[in-house]
Each structure stands twice: as C-alpha cells, then as structure tokens.
Amino acid sequence: MSPDRRTAVATGSLFLLTEAAAIAGAALYRPMLGAADGRLAQGADTLALLGVLCEVVLVVAVAGTGAALFPVLRRHGEGLALGYAFGRLLEAAVIAFGIVAVLALVTLRRDAGAVDGADAALAAVHDWTFLLGPNIALGMNTVLLAYLAYRARLVPRFIAVLGLVGGPLICASAVAVMFGAYAQLSVAGAAAALPVFAWELALAGWLIIREFGPGAGAAARADEEVADPAGVGR
C-alpha cells in the first residue's frame, strides 16, 4: 500500500469516526442539557459521561483529519494546508471546551445544594460551543478543504462542490441561530447541515474506496523530480 493510499484510508476512516462520535455523543448527553429544573432521569448522568467519552473521540478524530491530510494538501499550497490543520485544531479545542461544560454540569446536578441557575449557564456554554465549533469552525474548514480538493482534483468535482456549498450554508445557518431566527436543533438547522454531512460521508467513502485523485500523484511526482532532478535515487 502506497503512502498516499494509507493516508486516504486513514483520513476517510477519521471522517467517518467524527460523524459517528458526534451523533452518539449528542444523543447521549442531550437529556442532561435539557433536564427541567435540574431534575435528572435515572441514569442520565451516566449517559452523559458516555456521551463525553464519544466527544473525546470526536476531538481526537477532528484534529487527526488535519494532521493526516497535511502531507497531501501541502503539495498544493503549504499555507492553505497549515490553515486547514490549525483550523481543525481550533474546532477540536472549541468542542473540548464544550465537553468541560458538560462535565461541570454532571457534577453540579449531582449536588443537591447546587447554585440555582448555574446549571442553565453551563448548558448555555455548551450550546454556544456547539454552535461555534461544529458549525462555524466546521463550515470554514469545509470550504478550505473543498477548495483545495476542487483545485487539485483530489476527489471528483461533485464531491468538492458539496463542501463548497455546505460550508457557507452551515456558517450562515449558525449566524441565523445566533440572532434567534430559529433553534439550532430544528428542521431548518438540520436541513442546513445536510450538505456538510453528505460532503463528509462522500469524501470518506471515496478516500477509503478509491484513494486521492490524479492531482495528488502528479504533485508527488513533481516533488520527487525537484528533490532528485537527475534521477539518481531511482
């Protein structure tokens, strides 16, 4: 298996892992965030902690996609490749901050003498990190990666277009949520997130099954020729 093939499989697997971990995490800790008057259903704190573990996996996978793709993306622009890698790190950091809020909420709601209103504040902190990380930061990272993929033909153009459309759309939706146009967990919010969801699934599937497009190989050969113009190392 060539290095690019290994990178493609690793990247595709990490993208699939981000989707699975994000969905599982949100489903598990959502009852904790929505508990009325601090009252929890039996076992809700345990489910929330399991959700936090899923989110930890999500943080690692999000950061991992930037690191895994960097060797390939740098052939088509080192600045943009660094921007994507650091953008994914920023996204992971915001998600991690939301994880801390959920953990603090678990502790607070286990304490019968907790300060009134503190639980609502922590839930709000998580909701804002959920808006800024997996929406705004994700949207910007999606546009950056989709642009590189489109320009370098790393994947078929229709897959890259999904990202070029989905990234701005989910950012615009996050701004609409920020100003109260609709709730993030709503039909409109879900519809705005669908193109990015489809982009990541299509990208992951293509990379795992078909690897990168011819642009990646051409750039790799060009790099080799610059490093060894006389072909001595061949």
Side-chain angles (χ1 to χ4, degrees):
M1 185 181 290
S2 68
D4 276 359
R5 175 62 178 158
R6 288 195 296 270
T7 298
V9 172
T11 303
S13 301
L14 285 170
F15 270 111
L16 290 179
L17 188 58
T18 62
E19 297 291 349
I23 293 170
L28 287 167
Y29 64 66
R30 184 57 54 181
M32 170 73 70
L33 297 176
D37 300 324
R39 292 190 296 270
L40 295 177
Q42 185 175 5
D45 54 344
T46 301
L47 290 177
L49 292 174
L50 290 173
V52 163
L53 291 178
C54 291
E55 293 277 286
V56 171
V57 172
L58 173 62
V59 166
V60 174
V62 166
T65 56
L69 279 170
F70 181 74
V72 173
L73 297 183
R74 71 182 299 185
R75 302 170 191 162
H76 308 282
E78 188 164 1
L80 291 175
L82 280 171
Y84 182 73
F86 281 110
R88 290 300 265 180
L89 280 176
L90 174 62
E91 182 183 341
V94 174
I95 295 170
F97 190 69
I99 292 173
V100 174
V102 173
L103 288 171
L105 189 57
V106 170
T107 300
L108 192 64
R109 288 186 168 169
R110 283 174 171 175
D111 182 3
V115 180
D116 290 340
D119 55 348
L122 287 170
V125 168
H126 171 272
D127 288 345
W128 281 111
T129 60
F130 190 66
L131 189 70
L132 294 174
N135 283 260
I136 292 179
L138 171 63
M140 293 188 294
N141 289 331
T142 295
V143 171
L144 186 54
L145 178 57
Y147 168 73
L148 281 167
Y150 185 92
R151 188 182 71 176
R153 294 183 178 271
L154 298 178
V155 295
R157 289 287 174 86
F158 78 90
I159 295 178
V161 168
L162 273 176
L164 291 172
V165 171
L169 184 59
I170 199 169
C171 284
S173 176
V175 172
V177 171
M178 189 180 299
F179 285 95
Y182 50 81
Q184 187 172 3
L185 299 179
S186 62
V187 174
L194 274 178
V196 166
F197 180 72
W199 143 260
E200 291 198 344
L201 288 183
L203 176 65
W206 182 269
L207 292 180
I208 291 172
I209 297 171
R210 299 292 299 272
E211 197 185 339
F212 295 103
R221 287 191 296 272
D223 288 346
E224 290 174 1
E225 289 172 3
V226 170
D228 187 16
V232 174
R234 295 174 191 170

